[in-house]
Amino acid sequence: MPEVVLIAAVAKNGVIGKDNTLIWSIPEDMARFKKLTSGHTVIMGRKTWESLPERFRPLPNRRNIVISRQFNYAAPGADVAHSLENALGLASTATIAFVIGGEQIYRAALPLAKRLEITEVEQTPVGDAWFPEIDAQQWARTVIGQGHGYTFLTYSRR
């Protein structure tokens, strides 16, 4: 099984999105996401896949795996899995599989994760999707960098 890494931009109140969209636009976060995930496998839920602008589907230079419970779901350019376990099976030859959302997939994958790559956004927006709580007892937190209104963090499982 590949190393499972969750990657997300998370507001101070845990919000990661609203109405199936990101709430903020942070170019440095997008650049970090691209740098970390390029050349690797990315696993996402159907709603996250559908939230990507069509011109970015599939995410280039990455193997895209979309999880959907819909039996005949088509995600052109991506592999479709019907569960997280099935997705990880498809990614079994990868060294790293980045889980990129959404909320349900993050919750299912967190117990399997060895590392979290989090951009902590200095906002407390209203949202309808949240990142699971990061238990400080289980995770060691390292600040990787900071910018105006955000902090790049890496969490490693203790």
Side-chain angles (χ1 to χ4, degrees):
M1 185 165 92
E3 176 188 2
V4 176
V5 179
L6 277 58
I7 186 168
V10 183
K12 284 282 203 182
N13 60 354
V15 167
I16 57 173
K18 184 172 180 2
D19 299 327
N20 206 32
T21 61
L22 292 175
I23 297 171
W24 41 75
S25 175
I26 303 171
E28 298 85 352
D29 174 59
M30 292 296 189
R32 181 173 188 249
F33 175 88
K34 183 177 179 181
K35 179 181 175 192
L36 288 172
T37 63
S38 283
H40 296 288
T41 296
V42 290
I43 297 173
M44 70 197 89
R46 174 189 57 81
K47 290 181 191 175
T48 299
W49 170 262
E50 291 174 356
S51 76
L52 298 173
E54 277 193 50
R55 70 183 186 278
F56 294 121
R57 276 189 256 157
L59 291 172
N61 194 31
R62 285 156 270 213
R63 180 178 184 193
N64 288 235
I65 300 175
V66 179
I67 299 172
S68 173
R69 289 185 291 259
Q70 297 175 25
F71 181 68
N72 289 325
Y73 188 75
D79 294 311
V80 177
H82 299 292
S83 67
L84 177 60
E85 293 75 22
N86 183 226
L88 291 170
L90 291 173
S92 64
T93 60
T95 19
I96 299 174
F98 283 93
V99 175
I100 68 169
E103 179 180 351
Q104 290 179 9
I105 308 300
Y106 284 137
R107 287 191 189 288
L110 185 62
L112 305 172
K114 301 281 188 241
R115 184 166 42 110
L116 312 174
E117 295 293 347
I118 303 296
T119 299
E120 185 177 83
V121 181
E122 303 291 328
Q123 296 179 24
T124 53
V126 172
D128 57 16
W130 291 265
F131 195 82
E133 185 177 339
I134 301 169
D135 181 352
Q137 300 288 327
Q138 295 182 28
W139 297 95
R141 178 182 187 263
T142 305
V143 174
I144 303 301
Q146 292 185 289
H148 181 69
Y150 64 89
T151 303
F152 293 145
L153 302 167
T154 295
Y155 289 85
S156 303
R157 192 172 288 279
R158 293 186 192 274

